[in-house]
């Protein structure tokens, strides 16, 4: 897996690629990747840093393994609004809270829904004291940790009620392979339906571009096309995934 990591690193111009062991069981695989991500954060974070976190099962798995040996006085802030339709392990506010508790840092919550029906509502929200300054802080983070989504029926974005299953299928039909913080792109890393992103309350792909270190954490089976597209957007600096996905990505480009 060291060779795999090196290949990914050089081909996609990554700062770091970490390839964790793969397991047939989805939960075990997620834990394997989450453990690698937690280990990396324990080494990379230091006092005064700001980390912004996205939603989903992969970022949500990190707090279980994140136990820095000494207190790290860093700030953890949500990169996106939350949803009442999913459990704590998926919502960014809860993920930030758990990581902060484990490191002695502090969590800053974004009190906003992940999705709004009308774009103008997002602008009104952004003007609120509980939303605007927090998004601004997230945009200026030193590190962003995000999952890589897909337009599937059980995708996190569907479960969070950001998009319907019909919408997910339409996106897939239009060539969408993956998503970063709800922004969908194709296998070449090109955005699909950019106007849809106006309904999401959180950081955009452009916002991610200006963050010094963007870490993508992904473990599910069959996400290789989503990973390839995400790497081709050019916003990711560090990829943390399992060996099956890593091999599949390499196979796709060779």
């Amino acid at each position: 897996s060291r060779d795999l990591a090196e290949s990914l690193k050089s081909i996609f111009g990554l700062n770091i690629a970490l390839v964790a062991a793969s397991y047939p069981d989805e939960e075990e695989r997620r834990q394997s990747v989450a453990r690698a991500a937690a280990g990396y954060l324990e080494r990379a974070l230091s006092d005064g840093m700001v980390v912004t976190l996205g939603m989903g099962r992969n970022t949500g798995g990190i707090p279980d393994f994140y136990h820095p040996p000494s207190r790290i006085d860093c700030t953890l802030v949500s990169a996106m609004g939350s949803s009442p339709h999913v459990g704590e392990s998926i919502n960014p506010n809860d993920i930030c809270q758990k990581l902060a508790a484990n490191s002695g840092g502090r969590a800053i919550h974004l009190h906003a829904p992940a999705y709004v029906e009308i774009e103008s509502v997002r602008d009104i929200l952004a003007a609120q004291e509980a939303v605007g300054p927090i998004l601004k802080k997230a945009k200026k983070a030193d590190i962003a940790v995000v999952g890589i989504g897909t337009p599937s029926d059980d995708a996190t974005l569907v479960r969070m009620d950001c998009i319907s299953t019909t919408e997910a299928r339409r996106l897939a039909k239009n060539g969408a392979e993956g998503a970063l913080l709800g922004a969908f792109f194709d296998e070449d890393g090109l955005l699909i339906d950019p106007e849809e992103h106006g309904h999401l309350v959180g950081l955009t792909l452009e916002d991610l571009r200006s963050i010094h270190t963007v870490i993508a954490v992904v473990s599910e089976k069959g996400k290789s096309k989503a990973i390839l597209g995400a790497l081709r957007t050019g916003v990711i600096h560090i990829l943390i995934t399992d060996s099956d996905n890593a091999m599949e990505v390499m196979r796709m480009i060779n």
Side-chain angles (χ1 to χ4, degrees):
S1 73
R2 181 158 293 158
D3 293 348
L4 258 180
E6 279 308 310
S7 305
L8 284 168
K9 212 177 115 174
S10 61
I11 288 166
F12 295 103
L14 295 166
N15 298 358
I16 295 170
L18 296 178
V19 178
S22 204
Y23 296 92
D25 178 68
E26 184 163 304
E27 195 47 46
E28 268 186 272
R29 209 166 50 241
R30 192 175 297 131
Q31 287 176 359
S32 169
V33 170
R35 192 179 283 115
Y40 176 77
L41 288 176
E42 285 172 9
R43 298 187 297 275
L45 297 191
S46 56
D47 290 353
M49 274 191 175
V50 177
V51 185
T52 186
L53 288 123
M55 74 293 184
R57 289 168 276 201
N58 286 288
T59 41
I62 298 172
D64 293 343
F65 303 100
Y66 175 70
H67 302 290
S70 57
R71 186 169 176 267
I72 305 173
D73 184 15
C74 62
T75 302
L76 300 133
V77 56
S78 302
M80 194 173 180
S82 288
S83 161
H85 303 285
V86 291
E88 284 185 2
S89 60
I90 287 180
N91 272 318
N93 284 346
D94 299 295
I95 299 168
C96 287
Q97 191 61 51
K98 286 180 196 154
L99 283 171
N102 293 3
S103 65
R106 69 184 187 120
I108 297 184
H109 292 174
L110 180 58
H111 292 295
Y115 179 86
V116 289
E117 293 289 332
I118 309 159
E119 208 168 318
S120 55
V121 173
R122 187 183 70 163
D123 302 336
I124 294 166
L125 275 174
Q128 304 297 311
E129 202 50 45
V131 179
I134 289 151
L135 276 176
K136 204 172 265 162
K137 194 161 191 67
K139 283 177 195 180
K140 290 197 166 84
D142 301 287
I143 294 175
V145 183
V146 295
I148 298 176
T150 55
S152 64
D153 285 6
D154 77 327
T156 295
L157 287 161
V158 171
R159 295 167 66 195
M160 286 177 80
D161 260 359
C162 293
I163 58 170
S164 63
T165 47
T166 317
E167 183 63 11
R169 287 171 193 163
R170 188 185 67 77
L171 280 158
K173 219 167 72 193
N174 288 351
E177 291 292 356
L180 290 166
L181 296 180
F184 281 94
F185 45 79
D186 63 16
E187 201 179 302
D188 297 320
L190 301 171
L191 274 183
I192 300 240
D193 271 8
E195 65 281 352
E196 269 305 302
H197 308 156
H199 296 275
L200 295 164
V201 182
L203 299 188
T204 64
L205 213 53
E206 283 314 304
D207 292 332
L208 283 180
R209 275 187 211 289
S210 60
I211 291 176
H212 184 266
T213 306
V214 177
I215 304 172
V217 185
V218 56
S219 67
E220 289 83 7
K221 245 188 176 55
K223 278 208 173 173
S224 51
K225 280 185 178 171
I227 296 168
L228 181 57
L231 290 171
R232 285 175 172 162
T233 64
V235 305
I236 292 165
H237 306 103
I238 296 175
L239 175 69
I240 304 176
T241 191
D242 64 294
S243 55
D244 283 4
N245 269 316
M247 273 188 293
E248 198 52 46
V249 169
M250 292 306 297
R251 245 201 309 273
M252 286 167 67
I253 55 175
N254 285 331

